[in-house]
Amino acid sequence: MIEQAIEEGPSEVQGPDTLVISVDVPGHGSIRRKVICPLSMPGSGRGLVGQPVGVRHVTDDPDHVDDVLVVRWPSEVTRALQPFRPEGPGAGHARAWRFLTQCAAVVTVGGILLTVAMLIGVVFTAGELFADLPAWFRPWEVLAASAGAAVLGPLAFAFCGARVTTALSRSRRMNPTPTPTTRTGQSSG
């Protein structure tokens, strides 16, 4: 049973929670083990407190708090760790839009980083940072393109994310059982 979720303090970089698991051992009472929460968001371990888990351990010594292997997590953890594999008529579209969403995220991050680098090179060093580059390299054009990517990337990310949701809603609306058809226009007799 997951007994407690320990979050890192606010002064440190937030990471995944540490879960304290209580294991009932016949003849030894209850021992406690610590494991890192598989859900990476800080605070996500709080929702797992009180949930049963399946564990393996080697020793019954209460001082060996790291002697644990979780072999069965609660269902919400299992669902969260499953890969993105939609099924149905909209599955192909959902996977394609998800790929484009990820590309838009890369373009956004790259645009932001390149904009910062170009601003440092163009504004603070008056272009001297780019003096050794070929003549066809135009720092102001690269700065404009990277700033455009930093602005348009989030818009593309949001648009593609909405298309993923639309494609997934189409695959969920699919009726898995066919409806019986009736024949009309036939006369008996």
Side-chain angles (χ1 to χ4, degrees), residues 19-67:
L19 302 176
V20 178
I21 298 174
S22 175
V23 181
D24 292 328
V25 180
H28 290 83
S30 181
I31 59 175
R32 286 176 178 64
R33 300 292 190 242
K34 290 184 179 180
V35 67
I36 299 296
C37 181
L39 303 175
S40 60
M41 290 296 296
S44 59
R46 282 181 269 152
L48 301 176
V49 174
Q51 299 279 341
V53 293
V55 299
R56 291 185 183 168
H57 59 94
V58 177
T59 180
D60 296 332
D61 185 359
D63 294 331
H64 287 89
V65 294
D66 295 327
D67 173 37

Coordinates of all heavy atoms in Angstrom, one line a residue, residues 19-67:
L19 N 7.7 8.0 -3.0 CA 6.6 7.3 -2.4 C 7.1 6.4 -1.3 O 8.1 5.6 -1.5 CB 5.9 6.5 -3.5 CG 5.3 7.2 -4.7 CD1 4.7 6.3 -5.7 CD2 4.3 8.3 -4.2
V20 N 6.4 6.4 -0.2 CA 6.7 5.5 0.9 C 5.7 4.3 0.8 O 4.4 4.6 0.9 CB 6.6 6.2 2.3 CG1 6.9 5.2 3.4 CG2 7.6 7.3 2.3
I21 N 6.1 3.1 0.7 CA 5.3 2.0 0.5 C 5.3 1.1 1.8 O 6.4 0.8 2.2 CB 5.7 1.1 -0.7 CG1 5.5 2.0 -2.0 CG2 4.8 -0.1 -0.8 CD1 6.0 1.3 -3.2
S22 N 4.2 0.8 2.3 CA 4.1 -0.1 3.5 C 3.8 -1.5 3.0 O 2.9 -1.8 2.3 CB 3.0 0.4 4.4 OG 2.8 -0.5 5.5
V23 N 4.7 -2.4 3.4 CA 4.6 -3.8 3.0 C 4.4 -4.7 4.2 O 5.1 -4.6 5.2 CB 5.9 -4.3 2.3 CG1 5.8 -5.7 1.8 CG2 6.3 -3.4 1.1
D24 N 3.3 -5.4 4.2 CA 3.0 -6.3 5.3 C 3.7 -7.6 5.1 O 3.5 -8.3 4.1 CB 1.5 -6.6 5.4 CG 0.7 -5.4 5.9 OD1 1.3 -4.6 6.6 OD2 -0.5 -5.2 5.4
V25 N 4.6 -8.0 6.0 CA 5.4 -9.2 5.9 C 5.0 -10.2 7.0 O 5.1 -9.8 8.2 CB 6.9 -8.9 6.0 CG1 7.7 -10.2 5.9 CG2 7.3 -7.9 4.9
P26 N 4.5 -11.4 6.6 CA 4.0 -12.3 7.7 C 5.2 -12.6 8.6 O 6.3 -12.9 8.2 CB 3.6 -13.5 6.9 CG 3.3 -13.0 5.5 CD 4.2 -11.9 5.3
G27 N 4.9 -12.5 9.9 CA 6.0 -12.8 10.9 C 6.9 -11.7 11.2 O 7.6 -11.7 12.2
H28 N 6.9 -10.6 10.4 CA 7.8 -9.5 10.7 C 7.0 -8.2 10.8 O 7.6 -7.1 11.0 CB 8.8 -9.3 9.5 CG 9.8 -10.4 9.5 ND1 9.6 -11.6 8.9 CD2 11.0 -10.4 10.0 CE1 10.6 -12.3 9.0 NE2 11.5 -11.7 9.6
G29 N 5.7 -8.2 10.7 CA 4.9 -7.0 10.8 C 4.9 -6.2 9.5 O 4.9 -6.7 8.4
S30 N 5.0 -4.9 9.6 CA 5.0 -4.0 8.4 C 6.4 -3.3 8.3 O 6.9 -2.8 9.2 CB 3.9 -3.0 8.6 OG 3.8 -2.1 7.5
I31 N 6.9 -3.4 7.0 CA 8.1 -2.7 6.7 C 7.8 -1.6 5.7 O 6.9 -1.7 5.0 CB 9.2 -3.6 6.2 CG1 8.8 -4.3 5.0 CG2 9.6 -4.6 7.3 CD1 9.8 -5.2 4.3
R32 N 8.7 -0.6 5.7 CA 8.5 0.5 4.8 C 9.6 0.6 3.7 O 10.8 0.4 4.1 CB 8.4 1.8 5.5 CG 7.1 1.9 6.2 CD 6.9 3.1 7.1 NE 5.6 3.2 7.7 CZ 5.1 2.4 8.6 NH1 5.8 1.3 8.9 NH2 3.9 2.5 9.1
R33 N 9.3 0.9 2.5 CA 10.2 1.0 1.4 C 9.9 2.3 0.7 O 8.8 2.8 0.7 CB 10.1 -0.2 0.4 CG 10.4 -1.5 1.1 CD 11.8 -1.6 1.5 NE 12.2 -3.0 1.8 CZ 12.6 -3.3 3.0 NH1 12.7 -2.4 4.0 NH2 13.0 -4.6 3.3
K34 N 11.0 2.9 0.1 CA 10.9 4.1 -0.7 C 11.2 3.9 -2.1 O 12.1 3.1 -2.5 CB 11.8 5.2 -0.1 CG 11.4 5.7 1.2 CD 12.4 6.8 1.6 CE 12.0 7.4 3.0 NZ 12.8 8.4 3.4
V35 N 10.4 4.5 -3.0 CA 10.6 4.4 -4.5 C 10.2 5.7 -5.1 O 9.3 6.4 -4.6 CB 9.7 3.2 -5.0 CG1 8.2 3.5 -4.9 CG2 10.1 2.9 -6.5
I36 N 10.8 6.0 -6.2 CA 10.5 7.3 -6.9 C 9.2 7.0 -7.7 O 9.0 6.0 -8.4 CB 11.6 7.6 -7.9 CG1 13.0 7.8 -7.2 CG2 11.3 8.8 -8.8 CD1 12.9 9.0 -6.2
C37 N 8.3 8.0 -7.7 CA 7.0 8.0 -8.4 C 7.3 8.0 -9.9 O 8.1 8.8 -10.4 CB 6.2 9.2 -8.0 SG 4.6 9.2 -8.8
P38 N 6.7 7.1 -10.6 CA 6.9 7.0 -12.1 C 6.2 8.2 -12.8 O 6.6 8.5 -14.0 CB 6.3 5.7 -12.5 CG 5.2 5.4 -11.5 CD 5.8 6.0 -10.2
L39 N 5.3 8.9 -12.2 CA 4.7 10.1 -12.8 C 5.6 11.3 -12.5 O 5.9 11.6 -11.3 CB 3.3 10.3 -12.2 CG 2.3 9.1 -12.4 CD1 1.0 9.4 -11.7 CD2 2.1 8.8 -13.8
S40 N 6.1 11.9 -13.5 CA 7.2 12.9 -13.3 C 6.7 14.3 -12.8 O 7.5 15.1 -12.3 CB 7.9 13.1 -14.7 OG 7.0 13.6 -15.6
M41 N 5.4 14.6 -12.8 CA 4.9 15.9 -12.3 C 5.0 15.9 -10.8 O 4.6 15.0 -10.1 CB 3.5 16.1 -12.8 CG 3.3 16.3 -14.2 SD 4.1 17.8 -14.8 CE 3.2 19.0 -14.0
P42 N 5.6 17.0 -10.3 CA 5.6 17.2 -8.8 C 4.2 17.2 -8.2 O 3.3 17.8 -8.8 CB 6.3 18.5 -8.6 CG 7.1 18.8 -9.9 CD 6.3 18.1 -11.0
G43 N 4.0 16.5 -7.2 CA 2.7 16.4 -6.5 C 1.8 15.3 -7.0 O 0.7 15.1 -6.5
S44 N 2.2 14.6 -8.1 CA 1.3 13.6 -8.7 C 1.3 12.4 -7.7 O 0.3 11.6 -7.9 CB 1.8 13.2 -10.1 OG 3.1 12.7 -10.0
G45 N 2.2 12.2 -6.8 CA 2.2 11.1 -5.9 C 1.1 11.2 -4.9 O 0.7 10.2 -4.3
R46 N 0.6 12.4 -4.6 CA -0.5 12.6 -3.6 C -1.7 11.8 -4.0 O -2.4 11.3 -3.1 CB -0.8 14.0 -3.5 CG 0.2 14.8 -2.6 CD -0.2 16.2 -2.4 NE 0.4 17.0 -3.5 CZ 0.0 18.1 -4.0 NH1 -1.1 18.6 -3.6 NH2 0.6 18.7 -5.0
G47 N -2.0 11.7 -5.3 CA -3.2 11.0 -5.7 C -3.1 9.5 -5.6 O -4.0 8.8 -5.8
L48 N -1.9 9.0 -5.4 CA -1.6 7.6 -5.3 C -1.7 7.1 -3.9 O -1.6 5.8 -3.7 CB -0.3 7.2 -5.9 CG -0.1 7.6 -7.4 CD1 1.3 7.3 -7.9 CD2 -1.1 6.9 -8.3
V49 N -1.7 8.0 -2.9 CA -1.7 7.6 -1.5 C -2.9 6.7 -1.2 O -4.0 7.1 -1.6 CB -1.6 8.8 -0.5 CG1 -1.7 8.4 0.9 CG2 -0.3 9.5 -0.8
G50 N -2.7 5.6 -0.6 CA -3.8 4.7 -0.2 C -4.1 3.6 -1.3 O -4.9 2.7 -1.1
Q51 N -3.4 3.7 -2.4 CA -3.6 2.7 -3.5 C -2.7 1.5 -3.3 O -1.6 1.6 -2.8 CB -3.2 3.3 -4.9 CG -4.0 4.5 -5.2 CD -5.3 4.2 -5.9 OE1 -5.5 3.0 -6.3 NE2 -6.2 5.1 -5.9
P52 N -3.2 0.3 -3.6 CA -2.4 -0.9 -3.4 C -1.4 -1.0 -4.6 O -1.7 -0.6 -5.7 CB -3.4 -2.0 -3.4 CG -4.6 -1.5 -4.2 CD -4.6 0.0 -3.9
V53 N -0.2 -1.6 -4.3 CA 0.8 -1.9 -5.4 C 1.3 -3.3 -5.1 O 1.2 -3.8 -4.0 CB 1.9 -0.9 -5.4 CG1 1.5 0.5 -5.8 CG2 2.6 -0.8 -4.0
G54 N 1.9 -3.9 -6.2 CA 2.5 -5.2 -6.0 C 4.0 -4.9 -6.0 O 4.6 -4.3 -6.9
V55 N 4.7 -5.5 -5.0 CA 6.1 -5.2 -4.8 C 6.9 -6.6 -4.6 O 6.3 -7.6 -4.2 CB 6.5 -4.3 -3.7 CG1 5.8 -2.9 -3.9 CG2 6.0 -4.9 -2.3
R56 N 8.2 -6.5 -4.9 CA 9.1 -7.6 -4.5 C 10.2 -7.0 -3.7 O 10.6 -5.8 -4.0 CB 9.6 -8.2 -5.8 CG 8.6 -9.0 -6.6 CD 9.3 -9.8 -7.7 NE 8.2 -10.4 -8.4 CZ 8.4 -11.0 -9.6 NH1 9.5 -10.9 -10.2 NH2 7.4 -11.6 -10.2
H57 N 10.7 -7.7 -2.8 CA 11.8 -7.3 -2.0 C 12.7 -8.5 -1.6 O 12.2 -9.6 -1.6 CB 11.4 -6.4 -0.8 CG 10.5 -7.2 0.2 ND1 10.9 -7.8 1.3 CD2 9.1 -7.3 0.1 CE1 9.9 -8.4 1.9 NE2 8.8 -8.1 1.2
V58 N 13.9 -8.3 -1.2 CA 14.8 -9.4 -0.9 C 14.9 -9.6 0.6 O 14.9 -10.7 1.1 CB 16.2 -9.1 -1.5 CG1 17.2 -10.2 -1.1 CG2 16.1 -8.9 -3.0
T59 N 15.0 -8.5 1.4 CA 15.2 -8.7 2.8 C 14.0 -8.1 3.6 O 13.3 -7.2 3.1 CB 16.5 -8.0 3.2 OG1 16.7 -8.1 4.6 CG2 16.5 -6.5 2.9
D60 N 13.9 -8.6 4.8 CA 12.8 -8.1 5.7 C 13.4 -7.0 6.6 O 12.6 -6.6 7.5 CB 12.2 -9.2 6.5 CG 11.5 -10.2 5.6 OD1 11.0 -9.8 4.5 OD2 11.4 -11.4 5.9
D61 N 14.6 -6.6 6.5 CA 15.3 -5.7 7.3 C 14.6 -4.3 7.1 O 14.6 -3.8 6.0 CB 16.7 -5.6 7.0 CG 17.5 -4.7 7.9 OD1 16.9 -4.1 8.8 OD2 18.7 -4.6 7.8
P62 N 14.1 -3.7 8.2 CA 13.4 -2.4 8.0 C 14.4 -1.2 7.6 O 13.9 -0.2 7.2 CB 12.8 -2.1 9.4 CG 13.5 -3.0 10.3 CD 14.0 -4.2 9.5
D63 N 15.7 -1.4 7.8 CA 16.6 -0.4 7.5 C 16.9 -0.3 6.0 O 17.5 0.7 5.5 CB 17.9 -0.6 8.3 CG 17.7 -0.4 9.8 OD1 16.8 0.4 10.1 OD2 18.4 -1.0 10.6
H64 N 16.6 -1.3 5.2 CA 16.9 -1.3 3.8 C 15.7 -0.7 3.0 O 14.9 -1.4 2.4 CB 17.2 -2.7 3.3 CG 18.5 -3.2 3.7 ND1 18.7 -3.9 4.9 CD2 19.7 -3.1 3.1 CE1 20.0 -4.2 5.0 NE2 20.6 -3.7 3.9
V65 N 15.5 0.6 3.1 CA 14.4 1.3 2.5 C 14.3 1.3 1.0 O 13.3 1.4 0.4 CB 14.2 2.7 3.0 CG1 13.9 2.7 4.5 CG2 15.4 3.5 2.7
D66 N 15.5 1.0 0.4 CA 15.6 1.0 -1.1 C 15.4 -0.4 -1.7 O 15.5 -0.6 -2.9 CB 16.9 1.6 -1.6 CG 17.0 3.1 -1.2 OD1 15.9 3.8 -1.2 OD2 18.1 3.6 -1.0
D67 N 15.2 -1.4 -0.9 CA 15.1 -2.8 -1.3 C 13.6 -3.0 -1.7 O 12.8 -3.6 -1.0 CB 15.5 -3.7 -0.2 CG 15.2 -5.2 -0.5 OD1 15.4 -5.6 -1.7 OD2 14.8 -6.0 0.4

